[in-house]
Amino acid sequence: MHSSITIVGASLAGVRAAEALRSEGFEGVIKLIGDEAHVPYDRPPLSKSFLEGAMTSERLSLLTKEKITELELQIRTGSKASKLDIDSQTFEIEGEVEGFDALVIATGARARKLPNTEKIKGIHTLRSLDDSIEIRDSFKSGNPKVVVVGGGFIGCEVAATASAFGIEVTIVESQDVPLSHVLGEEAGRVISKLHTDNGVQLKCGVEVQEFKGENQVEGVLLKDGTLLEADVVIVGIGATPNTEWLEDSGLTIENGVCCDQTCLAAPNIVAAGDVARWDHRGYGKSIRLEHWDNAAEQGKHAALRLLQKDSEALPYAPIPWFWSDQFDRKIQLAGISSPGDDFEVIVDSPEEGRYTAIYGNEGRLKAVLGINRPRHVMQFKSLMEEEASWKEALDFAKGIG
Amino acid sequence: MRVVVDFDLCESNAICMQIAPDIFEVRDDDFLYVLDETPSEDRRSNLEESVQRCPKQAISIEE
Ligand SMILES: Cc1cc2nc3c(=O)[nH]c(=O)nc-3n(C[C@H](O)[C@H](O)[C@H](O)COP(=O)(O)OP(=O)(O)OC[C@H]3O[C@@H](n4cnc5c(N)ncnc54)[C@H](O)[C@@H]3O)c2cc1C
Ligand code: SF4
């Protein structure tokens, strides 16, 4: 049994790892190290209610003072880990070498940036509490024109929140239909329509050529020659796993820290959350997710893995699930859809804003999308857990449609 | 033990229903109903999982 466990990355996966260790009865030292100044906080509201101003930063907190005491955590914020070495079981922190018995890697991901945008004021990415506060302040000053680059989930949420402020906002998306790489074209169009119905401008199938403005952004020039005026730009073009501190560590890094089916990256080292890529037994391949529910669950699974013998370790093979809130719609996807999947709309009721669709492949149910239909999403998610066939899913759909 | 849901926080995403369908139900009207407010002790681990998995931290257990 380890006498101490070190968790690097003090966010959702890291906090859930610490909680799981204590509820499993681990009595050793738990160190939780994070490079942000804040105590751990929850990210999903940063593009939704917190950005809108409907939620305080206290409510974002993932750990209260009482909880830190109760869990007996040695928590260290504002400290960046670097230079992991798995042979000597050490890493560096603020120039000092720190050893560990067992390690949870939970360093998450950061927002990808466009080159040469760092120095221009008014161009933002959104990952941290501070990012969200800055963007909110800029939404509130004057009546800014906002351009969102990238029509992914975070981009779409920011656009929806901006338009709730009554702000003029345009989404620039390189695909022909936003979100079509995740949801397919047909469902992507349903989301696009939601945005245009609410006054958001969409510019699709075109990329950004350059930003106008020396110190402060003034416009966005697109490759088709369109010039969009802009006082605020939010770039939402995906995230990159934070693995730089693991280079030359001896671990395998391939767009994430590679782990086995049980979340083990090396002896005494596990990874969880947005930074982890692991062999998912159910899908027969390695995947990396950037979903809240996964970070929470994998944090727990990975931490407990450190307390188990190799022979008793269980594979981590959940059906992925995430949600996104845009305007008054709750969008949820469970499972993994792929281009070319069979696609069946089960409910389409625009007056109520409700929509359910399922995706299938090779005779299997692969995913379910729900818009304001959480009950259906969870019902089909349960079917996926039972490895239901496409036919069984269609039969089930007849009963609820 | 007693199940308490803060309905101001709950967003009816039905995660808890999937974990403990005998305690939670999101009905066709998209509202969450607590079917069993005082579940028996053998339901504790499922209930604790619902508390943890709720993305809104809307569920708590009162002893
Ligand atoms: C704006 C926004 C909205 C979102 N909305 C949703 C949603 O609606 N639904 C959903 O399912 N998911 C959503 N997500 C995704 C979800 O928040 C993430 O999946 C989750 O935060 C991942 O948690 P994590 O602990 O793995 O990583 P992170 O939350 O990225 O945390 C990693 C932490 O490690 C720190 N760190 C990195 N490197 C080091 C180092 N070398 N040393 C020390 N510390 C380090 C980072 O600063 C950070 O604090 C959203 C994310 C964002 C940004
Ligand atoms: S998991 Fe939480 S938010 Fe979802 S329905 Fe249950 S109580 Fe409500």
Side-chain angles (χ1 to χ4, degrees), chain A residues 8-15 33-36 41-48 79-82 106-110 126-128 154 157-158 242 245 272-275 289-296 321-325:
Chain A
V8 179
S11 180
L12 183 58
V15 167
I33 296 168
D35 63 358
E36 293 187 81
Y41 59 88
D42 206 23
R43 292 182 206 277
L46 300 180
S47 50
K48 312 176 184 78
S79 307
K80 195 178 183 98
S82 60
T107 43
R110 62 177 179 279
L126 175 51
R127 183 81 197 177
S128 69
I154 291 183
E157 288 180 356
V158 172
N242 291 318
W245 72 290
D274 287 13
V275 75
L289 298 173
E290 294 175 359
H291 303 165
W292 189 97
D293 185 57
N294 181 64
W321 170 83
F322 72 90
W323 80 95
S324 170
D325 298 335

Side-chain angles (χ1 to χ4, degrees), chain A residues 29-227:
Chain A
V29 173
I30 301 179
K31 296 182 189 173
L32 180 61
I33 296 168
D35 63 358
E36 293 187 81
H38 307 280
V39 288
Y41 59 88
D42 206 23
R43 292 182 206 277
L46 300 180
S47 50
K48 312 176 184 78
S49 49
F50 182 78
L51 182 61
E52 200 183 314
M55 189 182 187
T56 60
S57 54
E58 288 80 63
R59 276 235 61 114
L60 287 179
S61 175
L62 291 173
L63 270 182
T64 57
K65 275 208 186 86
E66 296 75 50
K67 195 82 193 169
I68 295 171
T69 316
E70 183 195 318
L71 297 173
E72 294 181 49
L73 297 184
Q74 296 186 9
I75 184 164
R76 198 163 155 183
T77 52
S79 307
K80 195 178 183 98
S82 60
K83 297 191 186 149
L84 178 75
D85 180 49
I86 64 172
D87 293 330
S88 60
Q89 300 217 149
T90 57
F91 57 87
E92 281 185 20
I93 183 159
E94 278 155 13
E96 306 221 333
V97 175
E98 166 111 3
F100 60 86
D101 284 348
L103 177 69
V104 180
I105 298 171
T107 43
R110 62 177 179 279
R112 211 173 287 146
K113 298 197 168 164
L114 285 170
N116 309 323
T117 53
E118 305 261 324
K119 292 208 181 83
I120 313 176
K121 264 208 226 135
I123 302 183
H124 307 265
T125 53
L126 175 51
R127 183 81 197 177
S128 69
L129 178 58
D130 299 341
D131 295 337
S132 183
I133 292 172
E134 263 183 44
I135 295 171
R136 183 168 69 194
D137 288 347
S138 69
F139 281 178
K140 282 196 196 146
S141 61
N143 188 14
K145 290 196 168 53
V146 175
V147 172
V148 174
V149 178
F153 284 102
I154 291 183
C156 284
E157 288 180 356
V158 172
T161 307
S163 73
F165 276 90
I167 288 172
E168 223 178 279
V169 45
T170 307
I171 298 177
V172 179
E173 164 59 48
S174 59
Q175 302 178 91
D176 289 333
V177 180
L179 300 172
S180 54
H181 63 302
V182 196
L183 304 180
E185 284 210 0
E186 194 174 332
R189 275 202 198 91
V190 176
I191 313 277
S192 301
K193 185 167 179 320
L194 174 64
H195 282 263
T196 48
D197 285 352
N198 281 281
V200 173
Q201 303 286 325
L202 280 182
K203 283 289 289 174
C204 295
V206 61
E207 286 176 27
V208 172
Q209 174 76 36
E210 62 176 3
F211 294 103
K212 297 285 178 194
E214 289 287 301
N215 304 314
Q216 161 67 41
V217 70
E218 288 162 8
V220 184
L221 179 65
L222 306 184
K223 286 201 171 143
D224 67 359
T226 314
L227 179 65

Side-chain angles (χ1 to χ4, degrees), chain A residues 3-36:
Chain A
S3 64
S4 98
I5 294 179
T6 302
I7 303 167
V8 179
S11 180
L12 183 58
V15 167
R16 288 300 166 87
E19 288 172 347
L21 290 170
R22 286 299 183 229
S23 43
E24 196 63 19
F26 176 72
E27 289 177 353
V29 173
I30 301 179
K31 296 182 189 173
L32 180 61
I33 296 168
D35 63 358
E36 293 187 81

Side-chain angles (χ1 to χ4, degrees), chain B:
Chain B
M1 66 188 164
R2 190 180 176 78
V3 182
V4 181
V5 173
D6 183 338
F7 286 96
D8 289 337
L9 295 176
C10 170
E11 53 162 24
S12 297
N13 56 30
I15 279 285
C16 52
M17 171 175 100
Q18 215 220 348
I19 298 164
D22 55 327
I23 303 176
F24 302 103
E25 183 178 30
V26 173
R27 294 200 187 139
D28 224 41
D29 61 8
D30 272 350
F31 286 107
L32 171 68
Y33 294 82
V34 180
L35 302 178
D36 184 356
E37 288 195 349
T38 50
S40 58
E41 197 52 37
D42 59 330
R43 304 296 297 126
R44 184 179 288 275
S45 78
N46 248 219
L47 192 56
E48 280 176 353
E49 190 181 344
S50 306
V51 171
Q52 282 215 338
R53 291 282 283 274
C54 170
K56 298 288 154 159
Q57 302 179 35
I59 312 171
S60 50
I61 304 175
E62 279 177 9
E63 299 303 330

